[in-house]
């Protein structure tokens, strides 16, 4: 089963991808992890990607696409895979077609922009040990300090409301057309994610089982 899991920042794609991966014993292929693997391998593309990242530049589709293709050709993907964070734009979606990669189903984890902003802007990270909290869903019992090490809890730049809105704007402009593209192909399944993780997981697994 070859899957793509999509959704706005904060939709919970990574959480659902991990659950699906364990349930069906297929690997999750995330753009970030794939890039790190390519860089660690010392391949020509990995070296190029590292140089772009070190210079603070955007890693272009011309670099990302062949890295993803190489990853999907590895033996652990023979029985299926989950793409998380790819494709992010129409160029990448078309690149999958050019690679000859067949996609069985695309899961779109849907939730409102307001919920995304609430989820992300409420996140707090310990500046010492990196433990994650949330002001509403998982607050620290010690207030603004980490329960584990006593470190100060901070808001990452990516989680500030103004930054989240910018990320959402990019998602709607660049990535959502990919969602519509797969809808037109008849392989899109929408899963509502405004409820708890457990409810979203139940909906996700039920949606997959209906397709099998």
């Amino acid at each position: 089963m070859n899957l793509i899991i999509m959704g706005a920042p904060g939709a919970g794609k990574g959480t659902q991808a991990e659950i699906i991966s364990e349930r069906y014993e297929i690997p999750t292929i995330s753009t970030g992890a794939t890039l790190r693997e390519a860089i660690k391998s010392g391949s020509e593309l990995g070296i190029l990607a590292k140089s772009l990242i070190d210079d603070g530049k955007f890693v272009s589709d011309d670099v990302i696409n062949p890295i993803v293709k190489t990853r999907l050709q590895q033996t652990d993907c023979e029985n299926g895979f989950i793409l998380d964070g790819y494709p992010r734009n129409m160029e990448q979606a078309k690149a999958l077609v050019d690679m000859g990669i067949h996609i069985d189903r695309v899961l779109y984890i849907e939730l409102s922009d307001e919920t995304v902003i609430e989820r992300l802007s409420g996140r707090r990270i310990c500046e010492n040990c990196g433990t994650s909290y949330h002001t509403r869903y998982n607050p620290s019992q010690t207030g603004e300090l980490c329960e584990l090490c006593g470190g100060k809890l901070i808001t990452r730049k990516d989680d500030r409301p103004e930054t989240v809105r910018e990320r959402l704007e990019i998602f709607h402009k660049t990535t959502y057309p990919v969602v519509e593209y797969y809808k037109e192909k008849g392989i899109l399944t929408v899963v509502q994610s405004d409820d708890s993780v457990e409810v979203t997981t139940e909906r996700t697994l039920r949606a997959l089982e209906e397709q099998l």
Side-chain angles (χ1 to χ4, degrees):
M1 183 165 55
N2 298 342
L3 302 174
I4 295 174
I5 189 162
M6 302 185 69
K13 301 184 296 297
T15 299
Q16 297 305 320
E18 182 178 344
I19 292 169
I20 296 169
S21 175
E22 293 179 0
R23 177 72 171 262
Y24 293 100
E25 298 183 341
I26 53 178
T28 298
I29 313 299
S30 72
T31 305
T34 303
L35 270 174
R36 288 190 291 272
E37 290 174 7
I39 291 170
K40 185 177 180 180
S41 72
S43 67
E44 183 177 346
L45 284 170
I47 293 171
L48 177 57
K50 184 178 187 302
S51 67
L52 291 170
I53 293 170
D54 289 346
D55 289 341
K57 296 179 180 178
F58 179 73
V59 181
S60 68
D61 293 340
D62 290 342
V63 177
I64 290 289
N65 292 339
I67 287 177
V68 170
K69 180 180 181 180
T70 299
R71 178 65 185 89
L72 293 178
Q73 290 173 338
Q74 294 182 16
T75 55
D76 63 337
C77 294
E78 289 179 352
N79 294 322
F81 55 79
I82 307 162
L83 281 172
D84 175 13
Y86 184 98
R88 290 181 183 271
N89 55 48
M90 283 303 303
E91 288 72 20
Q92 293 179 0
K94 293 173 181 176
L96 275 178
V97 176
D98 293 340
M99 295 174 199
I101 302 296
H102 173 74
I103 300 300
D104 296 299
R105 180 60 41 183
V106 178
L107 293 177
Y108 176 51
I109 310 299
E110 183 177 63
L111 74 169
S112 66
D113 286 0
E114 293 74 16
T115 304
V116 169
I117 294 170
E118 178 191 24
R119 284 187 182 181
L120 296 186
S121 62
R123 290 201 300 200
R124 299 292 184 269
I125 306 295
C126 174
E127 64 178 358
N128 288 338
C129 69
T131 300
S132 178
Y133 298 89
H134 194 283
T135 55
R136 178 177 177 182
Y137 304 109
N138 180 35
S140 170
Q141 297 304 307
T142 56
E144 293 299 315
L145 299 178
C146 177
E147 296 176 7
L148 299 181
C149 72
K152 181 181 177 182
L153 300 184
I154 61 172
T155 302
R156 299 185 313 167
K157 181 179 178 181
D158 279 355
D159 292 336
R160 294 173 185 170
E162 61 274 17
T163 306
V164 175
R165 290 188 182 93
E166 291 175 1
R167 294 170 64 191
L168 283 169
E169 184 177 346
I170 293 171
F171 170 79
H172 288 301
K173 180 179 179 180
T174 305
T175 306
Y176 193 75
V178 182
V179 177
E180 293 290 338
Y181 166 74
Y182 287 122
K183 180 180 179 180
E184 292 176 3
K185 290 176 72 68
I187 59 172
L188 181 75
T189 297
V190 178
V191 177
Q192 294 294 331
S193 180
D194 285 319
D195 294 299
S196 66
V197 172
E198 292 76 16
V199 172
T200 303
T201 298
E202 181 183 345
R203 291 172 178 166
T204 300
L205 294 178
R206 185 168 63 244
L208 281 178
E209 288 166 2
E210 289 174 353
Q211 304 299 323
L212 296 177

